[in-house]
Amino acid sequence: MTALSIFGAGGRMGRAIAEIVAGRADATITAQDADVFVDFSAPAALEANLAAAVAERKPIVVGTTGLSPEHQRLIDKAAAEIAILQAANTSLGVNLLSHLVRQAAERLGADWDIEIVEMHHRHKADAPSGTALLLGHAAAEGRQVDLDEVSDRGRDGITGARKFSHIGFAALRGGSVAGEHQVIFAAEGERLELGHRAESRAIFARGAVQAALWLKDKPPARYTMADVLGLA
């Protein structure tokens, strides 16, 4: 039995994780003496949550999105002392999609334009979504380029022709959409589309629980969902 303690337990993801755990025999939710911490709170709370995990010498799954470079530095620092799995999206399907996007970008080459389109519910605060950025980084890694140097986020007015080899992002918001992502590879005369559609927040909760169970007893390091899937 693995005891999970959730930061942000009252939020959408926190409640979804609790529901998933309630239906399992190998995990339970606890407020103390946790085996693994799970953080789906807010960027402002990350530093304190990491400090709590380090103080307890327990691993932590970080699923909070909208993190800054300073947050990433804090995660790197904490990962020297405890096991940390950071995932912008804990869906197993999305993380397999990321693997496929990396492979496609590597094999198709820079002549294929890449556009990433995502849609989420009206309440989502950050854009592009963490998952869209995950897919963007996968495409950039496949091409062996820095995403920050080739990223186009939002076009308006007379922008001129599309920049060669750049990776474009479009963010849509509305309704109660849990999450939809599409990666479009477009060349002269043909188009390849890879995508994922989340029909329920439960898929993220299931992946987060699986990640937490996998992370238990792992040595200090920084891990990803690719490690959970055996793709790293």
Side-chain angles (χ1 to χ4, degrees), residues 86-100:
Q86 182 191 3
N89 188 310
T90 51
S91 157
L92 300 182
V94 161
N95 284 279
L96 180 57
L97 172 62
S98 175
H99 178 71
L100 297 175

Side-chain angles (χ1 to χ4, degrees), residues 69-122:
E70 175 60 17
H71 289 127
Q72 302 298 341
R73 187 192 68 78
L74 291 171
I75 292 173
D76 286 336
K77 181 180 178 181
E81 301 185 57
I82 60 173
I84 299 180
L85 189 150
Q86 182 191 3
N89 188 310
T90 51
S91 157
L92 300 182
V94 161
N95 284 279
L96 180 57
L97 172 62
S98 175
H99 178 71
L100 297 175
V101 167
R102 184 180 295 106
Q103 288 187 323
E106 178 183 0
R107 286 162 173 73
L108 294 176
D111 287 337
W112 288 66
D113 301 325
I114 301 177
E115 293 287 321
I116 299 172
V117 182
E118 54 102 343
M119 184 170 184
H120 285 83
H121 54 85
R122 63 169 64 97

Side-chain angles (χ1 to χ4, degrees), residues 164-181:
F164 178 74
S165 80
H166 273 217
I167 297 173
F169 291 85
L172 312 180
R173 297 289 178 268
S176 58
V177 178
E180 295 183 10
H181 295 83

Side-chain angles (χ1 to χ4, degrees), residues 11 21 27-28 41 73 130 154 164 194-195:
V21 170
T28 187
S41 54
R73 187 192 68 78
F164 178 74
L194 301 174

Side-chain angles (χ1 to χ4, degrees), residues 12-31:
R12 292 187 183 93
M13 273 300 298
R15 295 194 303 270
I17 290 171
E19 289 178 7
I20 293 298
V21 170
R24 299 184 62 123
D26 56 354
T28 187
I29 301 296
T30 183

